[in-house]
Amino acid sequence: MTRLRTAIPGPRSLELQARREGAVAAGVRSTLPVYVASAGDGLLVDVDGNQLVDLASGIAVTGTGNPAPAVAEAVHAQIDRFSHTCFMVTPYESYLEVCEELNALAPGSHEKRSVLLNSGAEAVENAVKIARHVTGRQAVVVVDHGYHGRTNLTMALTAKTMPYKHRFGPFAPEVHRVPTSYPLHDGLTGAEAAQRTISAIERQTGAGTTAAVVIEPIQGEGGVIVPAGGFLPALARWCREHGVLLVADEIQTGFCRTGSWFACDHEDVVPDLVTTAKGIAGGLPLAAVTGRAEIMDAVHAGGLGGTYGGNPVACAAALGAIRTMHDRDLNAAARRIEKTVLGRFGTVAEKTGAIADVRGRGAMLAIEFTERTPDVAARVAKTCHEQGVVVLTCGTYGNVIRLLPPLVIPADLLAEGLDVLEGALLA
Ligand code: PMP
């Protein structure tokens, strides 16, 4: 079925792109400058009437749909009642409900508390604030290929210079980077990789001065890197033994994306603090830090917050999104997507020497090319885009095609998108 009416981008999108150049800062880039008019479960409809198959979900945000009916309903109902009071001035119930959901869903059966914020980067900033406050230590350890945001502290935590950090320094101090587990490249078992990581922390930073290790349980922007089994549990054990807080950045992996509520669940890792954003609120800006009650409650009153954090419309959306995840069993949906994609592209990889690895969990999947330059991934992505399929590239070397389809994407639409990707891979 042809979903395209014009070349991609179409004439109206090109017109808007030209207008954008006179209005929007050039530093803001779009993967595919096709201007969106409306969307559905796995489809984006552009201003030229083209239908695009969405295998990106706005970078792992619209997993529940665009929007899920329950999100749309909750948002409409809330905006008709009130739009904002500021939770720090006069609170409202939905903020409590979102925190209760987060505390119940986040890994571990211990008592938890949450604080709501606006963006992933802000959540990570707050997790570091809390960890430093509670431990009285300053050093923060992060790993190679990590991505945590674009604010000053989170740029320091992020590994890749171009485009995230180039000429934006000086960066926040007391951030120490150590190796991680990247099975395709290092060939290490989880235990060996953890030993390498731990020994680098002990040598370079010192356990006694380290407040936290901040790590994505599956690295997203860095290349959808799934650490070898046993790596995260060993790191968590070492953190516990040394009073170092383990901060799991689940901003991209959380909320059913990897086929469980959180990626830490796959190996029963229980972090001290978890950061969430993206998929939590079905497209509205909301983020959170959730953690052990005694850690979260140690911060003085007024030490955490912000004008918009936990905005009531975003909270309503989150409650609608979480309900959708339960009602439609989106963990199972993500696991189905994993089976389809890994099965299919495992076979494709056998037909071409260009593919080094096909990996991922749930609906967070990737194809890494043998060549460690962005050329092949960029060509494949461009071919997909021209045929109306939205895919992303990522990776420290830019040599990874990343798939983050909506968890609610119908099977036939997913197959249609994957057909195009397969064609591009074999071209
Ligand atoms: N951490 C991770 C793991 C992310 O994937 C992202 C966003 N890609 C962020 C933090 C930053 O989130 P935001 O863009 O909402 O600030």
Side-chain angles (χ1 to χ4, degrees), residues 314-395:
C315 283
L319 295 172
I322 293 168
R323 197 157 0 104
T324 305
M325 293 174 213
H326 282 293
D327 289 352
R328 298 190 61 174
D329 194 359
L330 294 187
N331 282 318
R335 291 194 294 268
R336 279 196 298 277
I337 292 171
E338 172 184 331
K339 204 157 161 239
T340 303
V341 173
L342 292 187
R344 182 165 181 162
F345 290 104
T347 313
V348 173
E350 288 162 14
K351 295 188 204 159
T352 159
I355 296 176
D357 200 14
V358 180
R359 61 171 177 259
R361 277 218 163 104
M364 182 170 181
L365 298 152
I367 297 165
E368 176 164 346
F369 297 102
T370 317
E371 211 177 283
R372 284 197 198 170
T373 69
D375 303 351
V376 181
R379 178 185 57 72
V380 169
K382 183 165 177 282
T383 306
C384 291
H385 296 166
E386 283 166 358
Q387 294 180 50
V389 177
V390 185
V391 297
L392 301 170
T393 60
C394 66

Side-chain angles (χ1 to χ4, degrees), residues 57 59 62 73 90 94 101 104 125 203 219 223 233 250 267 270 273 278 290 347 361 363 367 374 380 391:
S57 307
I59 321 187
T62 51
E73 240 168 69
T90 47
S94 56
E101 290 283 2
E125 291 254 358
R203 269 182 291 115
Q219 293 181 307
E250 293 254 16
E267 290 197 89
V270 178
L273 300 174
K278 291 191 185 279
T290 300
T347 313
R361 277 218 163 104
I367 297 165
V380 169
V391 297

Side-chain angles (χ1 to χ4, degrees), residues 119-121 147-149 216 221 249 251-252 278:
S119 69
Y147 182 89
H148 301 287
E216 300 155 84
E221 306 304 313
D249 181 345
I251 285 164
Q252 192 160 145
K278 291 191 185 279

Side-chain angles (χ1 to χ4, degrees), residues 69-79 312-313 315-320 323:
V71 170
E73 240 168 69
V75 165
H76 288 143
Q78 177 58 46
I79 197 79
V313 182
C315 283
L319 295 172
R323 197 157 0 104

Side-chain angles (χ1 to χ4, degrees), residues 53 82 86 89 107 117 124-125 162 167 205 220 233 253 261 307 316 329 354 391-392 396 413 416:
V53 179
F82 63 95
C86 186
V89 179
L117 305 144
V124 175
E125 291 254 358
M162 199 61 175
R167 294 173 65 109
T205 316
T253 49
W261 283 98
T307 305
D329 194 359
V391 297
L392 301 170
T396 295
L413 197 57
E416 220 181 288

Side-chain angles (χ1 to χ4, degrees), residues 73-385:
E73 240 168 69
V75 165
H76 288 143
Q78 177 58 46
I79 197 79
D80 286 344
R81 288 168 55 227
F82 63 95
S83 58
H84 173 84
T85 64
C86 186
F87 192 77
M88 299 188 306
V89 179
T90 47
Y92 38 88
E93 187 173 355
S94 56
Y95 189 116
L96 280 51
E97 290 179 288
V98 173
C99 291
E100 286 162 357
E101 290 283 2
L102 279 162
N103 298 346
L105 292 170
S109 54
H110 53 280
E111 201 172 332
K112 297 173 208 132
R113 304 279 187 270
S114 294
V115 55
L116 303 185
L117 305 144
N118 300 293
S119 69
E122 198 188 357
V124 175
E125 291 254 358
N126 275 273
V128 171
K129 272 170 64 171
I130 296 164
R132 283 179 168 155
H133 184 96
V134 168
T135 59
R137 304 172 180 178
Q138 293 187 357
V140 176
V141 169
V142 288
V143 300
D144 287 339
H145 314 289
Y147 182 89
H148 301 287
R150 295 171 178 271
T151 57
N152 186 261
L153 172 59
T154 58
M155 273 193 292
L157 303 178
T158 289
K160 193 171 173 177
T161 292
M162 199 61 175
Y164 309 122
K165 300 165 72 164
H166 178 64
R167 294 173 65 109
F168 293 144
F171 302 111
E174 280 305 325
V175 173
H176 305 262
R177 190 170 309 282
V178 296
T180 185
S181 167
Y182 196 154
L184 175 69
H185 293 187
D186 62 32
L188 299 176
T189 65
E192 289 163 351
Q195 195 42 51
R196 183 177 65 168
T197 302
I198 289 164
S199 119
I201 302 173
E202 287 176 340
R203 269 182 291 115
Q204 295 171 24
T205 316
T209 52
T210 303
V213 172
V214 181
I215 190 165
E216 300 155 84
I218 295 176
Q219 293 181 307
E221 306 304 313
V224 187
I225 305 166
V226 184
F231 172 79
L232 289 172
L235 190 58
R237 230 173 2 258
W238 179 86
C239 284
R240 207 164 37 247
E241 281 164 16
H242 293 86
V244 174
L245 301 190
L246 180 65
V247 180
D249 181 345
E250 293 254 16
I251 285 164
Q252 192 160 145
T253 49
F255 288 101
C256 308
R257 175 54 54 187
T258 70
S260 60
W261 283 98
F262 293 95
C264 281
D265 298 336
H266 293 292
E267 290 197 89
D268 293 326
V269 169
V270 178
D272 299 291
L273 300 174
V274 181
T275 56
T276 50
K278 291 191 185 279
I280 188 178
L284 273 85
L286 188 72
V289 182
T290 300
R292 293 184 187 281
E294 65 276 18
I295 295 172
M296 299 294 291
D297 283 342
V299 177
H300 51 278
L304 304 176
T307 305
Y308 295 111
N311 165 274
V313 182
C315 283
L319 295 172
I322 293 168
R323 197 157 0 104
T324 305
M325 293 174 213
H326 282 293
D327 289 352
R328 298 190 61 174
D329 194 359
L330 294 187
N331 282 318
R335 291 194 294 268
R336 279 196 298 277
I337 292 171
E338 172 184 331
K339 204 157 161 239
T340 303
V341 173
L342 292 187
R344 182 165 181 162
F345 290 104
T347 313
V348 173
E350 288 162 14
K351 295 188 204 159
T352 159
I355 296 176
D357 200 14
V358 180
R359 61 171 177 259
R361 277 218 163 104
M364 182 170 181
L365 298 152
I367 297 165
E368 176 164 346
F369 297 102
T370 317
E371 211 177 283
R372 284 197 198 170
T373 69
D375 303 351
V376 181
R379 178 185 57 72
V380 169
K382 183 165 177 282
T383 306
C384 291
H385 296 166

